[in-house]
Amino acid sequence: MPAYPDDRSAEITAALGALPTGTPVSEVARRLMDLFTGGDLEAGTRLPPERQLAATLGVGRSAVREALAALEILGIVDVRPGSGTYLRGTASELLPQTLRWGLLIGRKNTAELLELRSGLEIYVARLAAGRAAASDLRAISGSLERMRGGVGDLKAFARADLDFHNALAAAAGNDTLVDLLHVVRSLLQVYADRAVHDEDEARTAIDEHGAVFRAIDAGDEDAAASAMALHMATASQRLAAEAAH
């Protein structure tokens, strides 16, 4: 376990300042990012607790939690349950990720992100059908089984759903494509985690994922792409509805 710098909560909160009422999660993340890349914080710096950040920024704890979750997915911070949230790199190390984040975080049109995600996921499914090894198929199948077992626990279901898509991406064997998809997913993650509201929607998603898996297992690239296109249509509809709330 690395040694973390001394607590700098007071310094961090003093540097942040309050945001206007009604500030969206993207702006909360941007404010945090500005601080992280300012060059004053060392890698491993422990951030103030969510409640302290929320009070300082003048936003709800849920907005801070969602912003930190998105930054964690991008590899900017490390959230350690029971310990705290830590900055993962120095300003120079974070710069490439900051640029990737900045390319998309300013976009307010969720529909464009959904279109981009759909196109990437469909292409991933096509590549996976042609490239998946036996180990990839086991990982995809295992995630699908966890989805089936998580129908009564939607948080567990959401984790298994993400694992399914990550397993597909690994099978596609294109790191650049995976990186781009990873960023797009992170920007939609705020909505994705709560897009499936009940067991009926979960079962529909399972059926759609099952069709994708069968096509990949058969090595049928066209069928895999078509099955993912169908899934993306229904998933995007749910995400768009969630984002509109």
Side-chain angles (χ1 to χ4, degrees), residues 109-181:
N109 192 341
T110 303
E112 291 184 4
L113 286 174
L114 290 172
E115 284 183 358
L116 180 57
R117 183 203 175 198
S118 295
L120 293 173
E121 294 278 15
I122 291 167
Y123 190 43
V124 161
R126 177 178 291 279
L127 290 179
R131 299 176 177 178
S135 58
D136 294 317
L137 294 173
R138 287 194 295 271
I140 298 167
S141 177
S143 299
L144 183 58
E145 287 306 309
R146 289 197 299 278
M147 289 177 67
R148 292 186 176 118
V151 169
D153 180 351
L154 294 183
K155 286 186 178 180
F157 177 88
R159 288 193 296 270
D161 189 335
L162 180 59
D163 288 344
F164 180 95
H165 287 276
N166 285 339
L168 286 189
N174 184 317
D175 290 340
T176 301
L177 176 61
V178 170
D179 284 346
L180 179 57
L181 185 54

Side-chain angles (χ1 to χ4, degrees), residues 52-211:
Q52 189 175 346
L53 288 173
T56 299
L57 292 167
V59 299
R61 286 186 64 179
S62 62
V64 171
R65 185 178 304 116
E66 291 170 357
L68 290 175
L71 294 180
E72 182 183 26
I73 291 170
L74 285 175
I76 306 302
V77 300
D78 182 17
V79 179
R80 297 173 178 262
S83 176
T85 301
Y86 300 87
L87 185 62
R88 294 190 64 178
T90 63
S92 60
E93 291 168 342
L94 292 173
L95 183 58
Q97 291 160 304
T98 305
L99 292 175
R100 288 192 301 164
W101 175 265
L103 287 173
L104 294 172
I105 195 171
R107 293 186 177 274
K108 295 180 174 62
N109 192 341
T110 303
E112 291 184 4
L113 286 174
L114 290 172
E115 284 183 358
L116 180 57
R117 183 203 175 198
S118 295
L120 293 173
E121 294 278 15
I122 291 167
Y123 190 43
V124 161
R126 177 178 291 279
L127 290 179
R131 299 176 177 178
S135 58
D136 294 317
L137 294 173
R138 287 194 295 271
I140 298 167
S141 177
S143 299
L144 183 58
E145 287 306 309
R146 289 197 299 278
M147 289 177 67
R148 292 186 176 118
V151 169
D153 180 351
L154 294 183
K155 286 186 178 180
F157 177 88
R159 288 193 296 270
D161 189 335
L162 180 59
D163 288 344
F164 180 95
H165 287 276
N166 285 339
L168 286 189
N174 184 317
D175 290 340
T176 301
L177 176 61
V178 170
D179 284 346
L180 179 57
L181 185 54
H182 192 60
V183 173
V184 175
R185 281 183 189 150
S186 73
L187 294 173
L188 293 169
Q189 196 67 35
V190 169
Y191 312 119
D193 282 345
R194 55 188 184 227
V196 174
H197 295 96
D198 55 45
E199 292 186 7
D200 286 341
E201 289 185 349
R203 291 191 181 94
T204 296
I206 288 169
D207 288 343
E208 292 170 355
H209 284 74

Side-chain angles (χ1 to χ4, degrees), residues 8-18 31-32 35 40-41 48 52-53 55-57:
R8 300 177 66 180
S9 294
E11 178 184 344
I12 291 171
T13 53
L16 283 173
R31 175 65 65 86
L32 293 172
L35 176 63
D40 295 327
L41 298 179
Q52 189 175 346
L53 288 173
T56 299
L57 292 167

